[in-house]
Amino acid sequence: MSEAQDQNANSGEQPENQQDAANEQPNADALGQAEAILNEAGESVESEQDEVAEVVTELRNDLLRLQAEYVNYRKRVERDREVVRDNAVQSVLASLLPVLDDIDAARQHGDLADGPFAAIANKLDGVLQTHGLERIDQNAVEFDPNVHEALLRQPVEGIEADHVGAILRIGYKKGERILRAAQVMVSTGE
């Protein structure tokens, strides 16, 4: 036996310092172990929170990207629908141009001065104007090869050179698109 144990066995008393040391040894080890466990848990929780934050950020970015793609897709679809609609309207308007030529010829001959056919012709003109059909029928304006088709070149009294002297066939446009150029006589200005 050791001396300390011999003394304790002989006296029957444990020294106070040794008992405190013995009691504190298991407590100190338990506290140290608990601290180590808490530190590890805190680090793992922080690392898990960092991982969760990264995943949330990644998902948020993916969501924003998908939302932007959807908005762009929707705009593209709306734009395509508008183009298809405009093309359909222009196709219908272009197919009605011979009818409008006949109506204009009847007006020039006085056949549509009064009566039910005059009312129908006026209603048709109104409907076509609501769809954006515009007539190209102005005299004395500068000749524009994008809008006019020159059939003749003659002197016209009171009209400058390179200006429209007379409309031979009315042209039509919808917005900026020319459906049919106006056939005109261009003045030489003499």
Side-chain angles (χ1 to χ4, degrees):
M1 276 193 39
S2 71
E3 287 181 20
Q5 288 176 342
D6 286 341
Q7 287 178 355
N8 287 340
N10 293 339
S11 64
E13 295 179 13
Q14 287 187 356
E16 219 175 273
N17 291 342
Q18 284 181 357
Q19 187 176 12
D20 288 343
N23 287 339
E24 286 182 18
Q25 181 79 16
N27 288 342
D29 286 342
L31 286 176
Q33 288 175 352
E35 269 186 44
I37 291 171
L38 287 176
N39 287 339
E40 288 176 16
E43 289 173 4
S44 66
V45 167
E46 287 177 7
S47 67
E48 286 178 13
Q49 287 176 345
D50 291 343
E51 290 175 11
V52 168
E54 289 177 17
V55 169
V56 166
T57 302
E58 185 178 328
L59 290 175
R60 181 177 290 131
N61 289 340
D62 289 345
L63 179 63
L64 291 173
R65 196 174 310 109
L66 284 173
Q67 186 178 19
E69 288 177 11
Y70 174 72
V71 168
N72 290 337
Y73 171 76
R74 192 177 73 212
K75 287 179 182 178
R76 189 172 48 250
V77 166
E78 288 172 4
R79 186 176 52 242
D80 291 347
R81 283 182 187 161
E82 187 66 29
V83 167
V84 167
R85 184 181 104 34
D86 284 346
N87 287 340
V89 168
Q90 289 175 0
S91 175
V92 170
L93 293 176
S95 65
L96 289 174
L97 294 183
V99 174
L100 295 175
D101 289 339
D102 292 343
I103 290 173
D104 286 336
R107 279 190 182 125
Q108 287 176 354
H109 292 304
D111 294 341
L112 291 179
D114 287 325
F117 290 117
I120 292 170
N122 292 335
K123 285 180 184 178
L124 179 62
D125 286 340
V127 167
L128 295 177
Q129 286 177 357
T130 61
H131 286 288
L133 185 68
E134 299 176 42
R135 297 167 62 103
I136 304 171
D137 61 352
Q138 295 176 338
N139 281 331
V141 296
E142 187 174 356
F143 175 77
D144 181 0
N146 296 320
V147 177
H148 302 112
E149 180 183 349
L151 296 181
L152 298 170
R153 188 165 170 85
Q154 292 180 349
V156 178
E157 188 177 317
I159 297 181
E160 301 176 31
D162 295 328
H163 281 66
V164 174
I167 300 288
L168 304 176
R169 184 174 80 172
I170 297 172
Y172 295 94
K173 67 179 183 174
K174 181 183 183 319
E176 296 299 316
R177 185 171 178 191
I178 304 298
L179 298 176
R180 182 176 75 190
Q183 294 179 340
V184 298
M185 177 178 61
V186 180
S187 173
T188 58
E190 297 172 3

